[in-house]
Amino acid sequence: MRAWAVVEYDKPLQLIERPLPTLKGTEVLVKNKFAGICHSDLHLLEGRWKLDDNGNSLQVHSPLPHVLGHEMEGEVVAVGPDVPADSLTIGSRYLVFGWIGCGTDPKPCSCCRVGTENLCTKGMPQKFTDGKSIYGGYSSHVVVPHPRYLIDAAKAYPNLPDGLGCVYMCSGLTAFSALKKVGEPPNGGSEIVIVGLGGLGLQAVLLAKALFGCAPKAVDISPEVRAE
């Protein structure tokens, strides 16, 4: 397994090699084909979370080296001994849901029990987002703990361009979740206002058009962004 890892904070990623793991239980080995870059990855690479413009930050305390990347798309190449034979197709393309909680535990927390694993009270959804895993998106392979965290892109979304689905696993889900919480506007999508047109905001604009049939309003402090 080859990976571009954080070996030293605030320094360029370095290429490291590790042996491929022996899969246990319901684990699935995915060969990464695409990985998105999230802004949170940049903070983890720097070793601190910027809190404001006054120099205040929260330091990252993760063992080194670690591999970033929680927006992943790839090919299933191997499964553990407890994975049902008909649950996955070896060689097929899958998207990896990175917000993994304790849903497969014998006694999951109250959030994971109802399917909201991103709110896991045990803190486990940080598996791919806190830099503590050696198997992140910036590696040749990733170990996924259970098939339930894989989406069969080839079957469910055959027209989805390669490499686009991995981005939907973070920024897409974030924007989609916010729009679903808003609900159906009484007079159509033009009543929705998207604040900020960065990566998430642009996803929200496109998703709002698809969900509600027309473009939402959008605001941004940058004249250049507004002009586009």
Side-chain angles (χ1 to χ4, degrees), residues 46-228:
E46 294 169 346
R48 59 189 179 276
W49 295 93
K50 182 180 177 182
L51 301 179
D52 54 35
D53 292 328
N54 299 318
N56 295 309
S57 61
L58 180 65
Q59 298 301 306
V60 174
H61 299 286
S62 297
L64 298 174
H66 60 244
V67 180
L68 302 174
H70 54 269
E71 302 176 357
M72 294 170 280
E73 177 180 340
E75 173 188 340
V76 168
V77 294
V79 299
D82 297 334
V83 175
D86 58 350
S87 62
L88 295 171
T89 303
I90 301 295
S92 190
R93 179 168 67 107
Y94 287 83
L95 310 178
V96 180
F97 180 78
W99 315 103
I100 296 173
C102 64
T104 59
D105 288 4
K107 294 183 179 180
C109 71
S110 57
C111 289
C112 291
R113 191 178 302 118
V114 297
T116 53
E117 296 202 27
N118 58 307
L119 302 176
C120 179
T121 59
K122 296 181 181 180
M124 292 180 64
Q126 299 178 9
K127 178 176 178 62
F128 292 121
T129 59
D130 63 354
K132 294 183 179 179
S133 173
I134 202 67
Y135 304 109
Y138 305 161
S139 60
S140 60
H141 296 77
V142 61
V143 177
V144 181
H146 194 280
R148 65 183 283 170
Y149 303 114
L150 294 171
I151 300 172
D152 189 341
K155 181 183 296 184
Y157 309 104
N159 296 322
L160 184 68
D162 290 352
L164 180 58
C166 66
V167 180
Y168 287 159
M169 293 295 95
C170 181
S171 60
L173 281 176
T174 303
F176 180 77
S177 174
L179 290 169
K180 292 296 286 185
K181 287 180 174 65
V182 169
E184 185 76 34
N187 299 308
S190 61
E191 292 189 335
I192 292 176
V193 178
I194 307 298
V195 180
L197 291 175
L200 285 173
L202 291 174
Q203 292 263 21
V205 169
L206 295 175
L207 288 168
K209 290 173 67 175
L211 287 169
F212 307 125
C214 63
K217 296 180 176 66
V219 297
D220 197 282
I221 61 175
S222 168
E224 292 81 6
V225 171
R226 293 198 302 269
E228 293 179 2

